[in-house]
Amino acid sequence: MTVTTPPVAHWADVLTLRDEVRQTEGSVGELQMSLAKAVYQTVPVPYADCGYYTDITQPTPKLVGFLGRVARRLGVSNLDAQACFHLDQGMGGGKSHALVGIWHMISRPDAFFASELGLAVSSEAGAGQHAVDLSRVLPVILTCDGMSPGKTDPRFGPATDLFGRFLWLLFADSPNRMERYQHYSGLGANKATLQAAFAEVGRPVLVLIDELMDYAMALTDESAIGGMPGEQAFLNALTDAVDDQAGVALVIVMIRSEEDQSGYHPAAVAFRDYLSPRLQRNGETVTVTEPSDFAQIIRRRLFTQTNTDDAAVSIASAFTAAGHQGAWRDQVYTPLGSKRTLAGLSERVAETYPFHPDLFALVSKEWTVVQAFQRVRSTVSIFARTALFWSDEHEAGRWAPTLIGVGDIPLHTSALEALLSSGVLAGNDRAIQGYRAVATTDIVNTGAGGGTAFVLDVALKANGVDAGQPGPALRMGTACLAYSLVPRPRAVRGATKAELLAAVAGPGVEYSAAEEVFNALVASPAEGGLGALERSRQGRGVERFYLSIKQTLNMYHANALSMVSGEESVDMVWVRAQALAEKHSFTALHKLARPEHEASAAAAFAGLDSQQTRLVVLDPRRWTLLNGRDQATRADINVAYGISAGLPSTFAASMVMAVATTQRRDRAKAFARDYLAWNQVVAQLAEDSEELGAARERRDQAGRKLDEAVAWAFQHYAFVLRTDNGLAVQYKTLPEPQTSLSGRHVWAALVADGRAVQANQLSAEYVAQLITSGQYGRDLTPKELFAHPYSDPTWPLIQTDEEMRLALFKLATSDEWMLADSDGVEIRPATAAQIQSATLQQQLRPRLLLAPPEQRNGEEADAANGRAASAVAPERISECGSPAPGSPPVTVPVQAGRVNEPSFETTVISIPLSSVTDPAKREQVWHLLREVASLVDPAKSSQNDLQMVGLQITISAATGETQGMLGKASQVPGSSSRTEQDDL
């Protein structure tokens, strides 16, 4: 029994299609606006008329905000407003539409500001009760897609480059235009010249540079590439000059390479990479549309302005009421998910009327993921033909859907070609041909009259199946095709049963009849079902139905590539970096992800400080080095190490950072995109597919290449050193094929740099030298000594505290050093384990030696030896004269002072002038000089009885490298020095 519902107004009676939609049979004529056509009137276009433009333009928040900020800069006096604007969206993102709006705003301000759009812009520009006057704005419009570098053009007089063309237009109203042009041309394209030119004009100036990357590509030609540095210099100077010049605005359209399917020459990419940071420094990147505006933009472009609120509410209420009938709620709307329930249907219909929310969701959220699909332009082309077809059907008294849904694209009309050529298939010719064949064979023939779904409708009607509409199988099959065109979220393909049923749902539709249509459609081809229909199920997920064109793996891969975004790719680089990172010789490994929200360096690095050797792997989505864009990374690292203010760092010396190279990160990103695409291909193939094994093999191969690229990207490591000017971060590069994700590779490099020691290679003598050369001015406690490798960048990193414990044990039991308690009594540890790492009650100090017994008087020697012997408990001494194993440290009173006067000797060492290019020979000489430095160390004046010293140093080195040594020598009284040219 059919459910009866109150009659509601049909959308075709509420809305009126624009004349251009009907006159062009749904093609809508000039969908892509051109600034050059609007400005120079090279061909007649309807949007060159301000009234037409404002009538078809929806005043969306972003567009109004952008036009308002430009108007405020140009039309409000004595107000510091944004000067530079960069539009970088891909094709179909609304850039040209916005530029034409700017042109109308400054060339016909009265007409523009009288429109709905103009009133919104005026309100935005005049916020704060400011008067906006654009009547005196001088336009300098450079449409770069219509220029040739190095060639003259009647529009720009004698000029052949951007600077010259800019000057020619700037002085267009000057009576001595050529003279002013020549004057400023002679001054050169610099900031001062541009500021002087702006000042001379004395009017608000709009500089609008459209399609700059087209010009950059033209510059890569062999005949023109020599002019690229000059063009870059002009644009750099222009961004600075405009920012500093009141009443001057600059708008540049420079598309990102990843948003342009045609790709760019490397020199053009370098051109964009040079200019982008300068635009960011002096301005802002602007978008003029967002997904929430999509439905309103499409509706306004196709239909004349009409209030649709009441009609939308009525039809939404009818759909909601029908959805609660029978099994529709439980079998369709509930399985569709939380975002497509009946509860929110009214709000969704109000946003998308006269189109069904499911159709808009599919197009705006899934099809637009394909980079070649242009959000507005492609959708207008499809929707215009669809709306025109159903409007004509309604006017002819035939059935038409009350909301245009996923299954309502009339595939037997030109709408099919509009769909296939929209970019949704990423320009894949074989896929386009395949889906064209599937549509005409399995759904409906061109011109109607045939096709599997069409024939099914005839059979179903003959069998008495009444789904409340003339072609339910045709609508359901069309929906299946629409859901099959691109991989859907989570890499699934096709539609669920609930989605296909929803394509025919509505007031007056019985669920049982709709289910019969569904069962007939998905039956085997032998039973009359769709021949190209395939089924898939992931794990325990719901079964899905899609139309297959039997693509090769490469075709699947090409489609999948178009679905993988740059953000997903760089996310995968970070995922693999975390998986590959290993600490090896380091105590701890930290994988520092970028904060979810933009956070300060102090917040990002908080919690890393600890008395451990740490290898910190930095997320390449925020931190990379080189490529001219690493200032922010270096600034953050300075904060992390406590060099810049913001974050206290007690143990910065023991933190080493692994950092990726910007360019190599981008290369890894490309491999990640390839891997993710193959992952999608594997997910799309059924388990019994003959190609699944090959797809998995290629995915795994892409994964291996990705891991190699990620490891290769992490080329750098950073640590802190103390220099003459204080703490400084040292950035080092690992040789191929090493990676800073490997703690083993990094530690070995630190050892080679003298910044760390190999395991168990920390010598007691090295520690003694570090203590004596540190000029601490006091004896150090074990706690301080154990902390130094982690907190003092002059000390080497060690792998374990046991290495320091063993070195201190050797010193404490040596003839030169000892451990003493707070009373000065010596503590003799029996084993290294008895060195207490956390104690502050002991000090390591140089040992004060007694004179040999034979130099003393007999009685004095006996007394001294007796006192020393009595200080050691006999029961604590083993047979060999050392403390018994496991015994606690033995305390021995320290003998103060020397017993006898010392004797002196003179030591003379002579090394003939010889080569030190051999690293081993250089090391030997270094050890000797270090020992000399230790002897004359002022901190040891109470320990070493050094009386006189004389030095003669002869060094043959590159010119200028001994200046520091000569400076030090001049400060020593009585010294002399000379430098001669060497024939070496």
Side-chain angles (χ1 to χ4, degrees):
M1 176 175 135
T2 303
V3 178
T4 59
T5 57
V8 295
H10 195 277
W11 61 264
D13 295 326
V14 176
L15 292 166
T16 302
L17 285 167
R18 291 187 177 275
D19 290 341
E20 62 265 31
V21 176
R22 291 193 173 279
Q23 291 168 1
T24 60
E25 297 181 341
S27 67
V28 202
E30 189 92 6
L31 280 175
Q32 179 179 358
M33 289 196 179
S34 165
L35 179 65
K37 291 177 182 178
V39 173
Y40 298 111
Q41 300 289 308
T42 53
V43 293
V45 289
Y47 54 81
D49 177 71
C50 182
Y52 175 83
Y53 173 87
T54 55
D55 187 49
I56 67 169
T57 302
Q58 178 69 21
T60 60
K62 287 197 175 239
L63 177 62
V64 169
F66 169 56
L67 296 179
R69 291 195 296 278
V70 174
R72 186 182 305 126
R73 176 70 178 183
L74 296 171
V76 179
S77 302
N78 303 317
L79 182 65
D80 187 16
Q82 184 70 48
C84 295
F85 304 87
H86 173 207
L87 283 75
D88 67 349
Q89 300 82 27
M91 299 293 289
K95 301 183 307 300
S96 294
H97 199 104
L99 298 185
V100 172
I102 293 178
W103 170 250
H104 286 308
M105 183 174 69
I106 66 169
S107 60
R108 301 171 184 85
D110 291 340
F112 181 86
F113 286 116
S115 67
E116 178 188 8
L117 173 64
L119 290 172
V121 172
S122 177
S123 176
E124 175 75 15
Q129 305 302 313
H130 295 290
V132 181
D133 179 12
L134 300 181
S135 61
R136 298 181 64 250
V137 175
L138 175 65
V140 177
I141 311 297
L142 298 174
T143 51
C144 293
D145 53 348
M147 298 178 180
S148 297
K151 307 293 184 182
T152 58
D153 185 308
R155 294 172 296 174
F156 309 111
T160 58
D161 61 3
L162 291 179
F163 175 48
R165 288 164 174 152
F166 162 83
L167 290 175
W168 189 255
L169 296 179
L170 185 67
F171 291 101
D173 296 335
S174 175
N176 50 352
R177 184 184 200 180
M178 180 63 75
E179 186 254 333
R180 303 321 296 151
Y181 165 79
Q182 292 173 340
H183 169 73
Y184 284 104
S185 294
L187 296 177
N190 55 64
K191 180 178 179 181
T193 299
L194 296 174
Q195 288 181 321
F198 285 135
E200 180 175 332
V201 170
R203 291 169 55 186
V205 177
L206 169 68
V207 182
L208 202 161
I209 303 178
D210 189 21
E211 301 296 352
L212 184 56
M213 287 307 296
D214 285 2
Y215 192 80
M217 280 295 290
L219 279 170
T220 62
D221 185 79
E222 184 177 355
S223 63
I225 197 166
M228 185 170 287
E231 303 287 22
Q232 288 177 325
F234 162 66
L235 292 169
N236 179 43
L238 182 62
T239 60
D240 279 340
V242 167
D243 189 55
D244 293 342
Q245 192 76 26
V248 178
L250 170 65
V251 178
I252 290 183
V253 174
M254 185 173 67
I255 191 172
R256 289 174 287 171
S257 60
E258 63 267 27
E259 296 290 346
D260 192 338
Q261 295 298 304
S262 61
Y264 290 119
H265 187 281
V269 174
F271 180 94
R272 189 195 60 247
D273 289 345
Y274 168 85
L275 189 57
S276 290
R278 287 153 177 83
L279 290 172
Q280 293 172 5
R281 180 184 66 210
N282 293 313
E284 65 173 319
T285 300
V286 179
T287 56
V288 293
T289 61
E290 54 186 338
S292 60
D293 305 327
F294 189 34
Q296 292 178 323
I297 292 173
I298 298 299
R299 184 163 58 214
R300 185 153 185 161
R301 193 70 175 83
L302 298 181
F303 303 98
T304 58
Q305 295 186 59
T306 306
N307 188 316
T308 62
D309 292 347
D310 292 340
V313 170
S314 296
I315 193 61
S317 298
F319 264 81
T320 302
H324 283 291
Q325 300 293 327
W328 282 110
R329 181 186 62 244
D330 298 330
Q331 301 299 322
V332 176
Y333 289 102
T334 298
L336 285 176
S338 58
K339 295 183 178 179
R340 297 165 71 178
T341 61
L342 290 169
L345 183 61
S346 294
E347 292 79 10
R348 299 198 304 276
V349 169
E351 291 176 0
T352 63
Y353 184 87
F355 301 98
H356 195 287
D358 286 353
L359 177 59
F360 254 99
L362 175 65
V363 175
S364 64
K365 296 179 181 178
E366 297 185 34
W367 289 1
T368 55
V369 174
V370 181
Q371 293 180 8
F373 186 88
Q374 297 167 24
R375 179 184 295 273
V376 175
R377 197 175 305 154
S378 297
T379 307
V380 167
S381 182
I382 298 167
F383 282 20
R385 288 171 169 84
T386 299
L388 176 61
F389 173 80
W390 290 117
S391 179
D392 288 343
E393 290 292 290
H394 180 73
E395 287 181 10
R398 292 185 287 269
W399 181 91
T402 50
L403 284 176
I404 301 172
V406 181
D408 296 325
I409 300 174
L411 299 180
H412 60 289
T413 71
S414 60
L416 174 62
E417 291 308 315
L419 172 61
L420 297 179
S421 62
S422 66
V424 72
L425 296 174
N428 187 329
D429 289 337
R430 291 189 62 182
I432 291 172
Q433 294 171 13
Y435 279 114
R436 181 184 292 116
V438 166
T440 56
T441 301
D442 260 14
I443 311 298
V444 60
N445 290 345
T446 303
T452 301
F454 182 90
V455 172
L456 264 178
D457 278 323
V458 175
L460 288 167
K461 183 177 181 180
N463 291 330
V465 177
D466 180 13
Q469 53 202 284
L474 182 59
R475 296 182 76 202
M476 205 176 286
T478 301
C480 189
L481 176 73
Y483 282 123
S484 302
L485 293 176
V486 300
R488 304 191 67 197
R490 295 182 294 280
V492 299
R493 198 173 194 91
T496 64
K497 177 181 179 180
E499 287 177 320
L500 293 179
L501 288 171
V504 300
V509 180
E510 287 284 357
Y511 176 83
S512 57
E515 191 172 47
E516 277 197 66
V517 174
F518 169 80
N519 291 334
L521 203 70
V522 301
S524 69
E527 297 172 311
L530 300 181
L533 188 74
E534 298 281 356
R535 302 168 183 244
S536 67
R537 188 193 300 270
Q538 290 189 3
R540 297 182 180 180
V542 66
E543 187 177 33
R544 290 181 174 272
F545 306 86
Y546 65 96
L547 295 174
S548 171
I549 58 171
K550 301 296 182 184
Q551 295 188 83
T552 66
L553 281 179
N554 286 336
M555 292 172 65
Y556 273 117
H557 182 249
N559 278 342
L561 273 177
S562 69
M563 303 296 297
V564 179
S565 68
E567 189 66 19
E568 287 176 296
S569 301
V570 76
D571 285 348
M572 178 54 66
V573 170
W574 174 230
V575 169
R576 296 310 306 155
Q578 294 177 84
L580 294 171
E582 52 90 24
K583 66 180 182 178
H584 197 265
S585 303
F586 289 84
T587 307
L589 174 67
H590 296 279
K591 303 164 185 177
L592 190 63
R594 69 177 181 189
E596 289 187 5
H597 304 288
E598 196 65 25
S600 66
F605 287 92
L608 290 179
D609 202 35
S610 65
Q611 191 168 325
Q612 295 177 307
T613 53
R614 290 101 65 212
L615 179 62
V616 180
V617 179
L618 299 186
D619 187 340
R621 295 176 298 177
R622 171 162 173 170
W623 298 289
T624 58
L625 292 174
L626 304 185
N627 212 28
R629 301 196 297 268
D630 62 359
Q631 294 90 340
T633 294
R634 293 176 184 266
D636 282 2
I637 290 176
N638 279 345
V639 172
Y641 278 116
I643 295 172
S644 297
L647 185 66
S649 185
T650 304
F651 302 104
S654 51
M655 180 170 62
V656 180
M657 295 190 182
V659 197
T661 306
T662 304
Q663 185 176 13
R664 292 188 174 190
R665 187 269 322 263
D666 292 343
R667 184 171 183 265
K669 179 179 170 183
F671 281 100
R673 182 168 177 253
D674 187 58
Y675 169 76
L676 288 169
W678 279 116
N679 214 29
Q680 282 195 21
V681 172
V682 170
Q684 293 164 25
L685 296 175
E687 283 296 324
D688 58 354
S689 171
E690 295 178 356
E691 297 177 314
L692 183 59
R696 285 173 172 166
E697 181 179 349
R698 297 180 74 169
R699 176 201 60 188
D700 295 341
Q701 182 182 16
R704 290 189 293 270
K705 289 182 178 180
L706 168 60
D707 285 351
E708 291 172 4
V710 171
W712 186 67
F714 278 83
Q715 185 185 23
H716 306 289
Y717 63 97
F719 56 89
V720 70
L721 275 184
R722 189 176 301 281
T723 68
D724 292 340
N725 297 320
L727 292 180
V729 178
Q730 305 296 306
Y731 293 92
K732 298 289 185 176
T733 302
L734 287 171
E736 302 285 356
Q738 297 182 19
T739 174
S740 57
L741 293 175
S742 167
R744 178 170 60 88
H745 292 163
V746 174
W747 194 275
L750 291 169
V751 170
D753 288 332
R755 189 64 189 82
V757 293
Q758 292 283 22
N760 303 316
Q761 295 297 312
L762 181 67
S763 69
E765 293 77 14
Y766 188 16
V767 173
Q769 178 191 333
L770 290 168
I771 296 172
T772 56
S773 62
Q775 299 183 14
Y776 297 105
R778 59 180 177 81
D779 298 326
L780 301 178
T781 67
K783 182 173 183 178
E784 292 172 314
L785 290 166
F786 273 91
H788 271 303
Y790 305 100
S791 60
D792 189 341
T794 62
W795 286 57
L797 301 181
I798 58 175
Q799 293 189 19
T800 66
D801 282 350
E802 293 307 309
E803 297 178 62
M804 177 61 71
R805 196 182 309 277
L806 183 59
L808 294 183
F809 171 73
K810 290 179 180 179
L811 287 179
T813 56
S814 71
D815 293 335
E816 293 79 27
W817 297 84
M818 69 177 189
L819 272 177
D821 64 14
S822 57
D823 295 327
V825 178
E826 181 180 2
I827 300 171
R828 292 182 179 175
T831 65
Q834 294 180 348
I835 299 294
Q836 302 176 38
S837 62
T839 182
L840 293 170
Q841 306 306 315
Q842 301 171 9
Q843 298 89 33
L844 183 71
R845 59 177 59 171
R847 186 183 297 279
L848 300 180
L849 299 177
L850 294 173
E854 60 269 21
Q855 295 182 8
R856 311 179 193 175
N857 296 328
E859 293 181 0
E860 185 178 69
D862 291 342
N865 288 332
R867 288 193 299 272
S870 66
V872 182
E875 66 271 21
R876 308 299 292 174
I877 305 297
S878 65
E879 291 182 359
C880 63
S882 299
S887 302
V890 177
T891 59
V892 181
V894 180
Q895 191 75 18
R898 297 180 183 270
V899 176
N900 297 327
E901 289 296 322
S903 60
F904 295 93
E905 61 186 7
T906 300
T907 301
V908 178
I909 299 174
S910 177
I911 301 176
L913 186 64
S914 59
S915 171
V916 289
T917 56
D918 179 6
K921 180 66 175 295
R922 192 168 186 154
E923 182 74 15
Q924 293 166 355
V925 174
W926 164 242
H927 282 299
L928 173 60
L929 295 176
R930 189 164 55 188
E931 185 63 29
V932 173
S934 179
L935 282 173
V936 299
D937 189 344
K940 296 183 177 181
S941 59
S942 62
Q943 304 165 27
N944 299 334
D945 198 350
L946 190 67
Q947 299 294 311
M948 293 186 295
V949 66
L951 294 175
Q952 181 175 354
I953 302 172
T954 305
I955 294 178
S956 178
T959 300
E961 289 191 1
T962 60
Q963 289 300 315
M965 184 181 72
L966 293 174
K968 297 293 185 183
S970 66
Q971 300 174 14
V972 179
S975 67
S976 63
S977 60
R978 72 179 189 276
T979 302
E980 301 174 350
Q981 284 298 114
D982 200 329
D983 293 332
L984 181 63

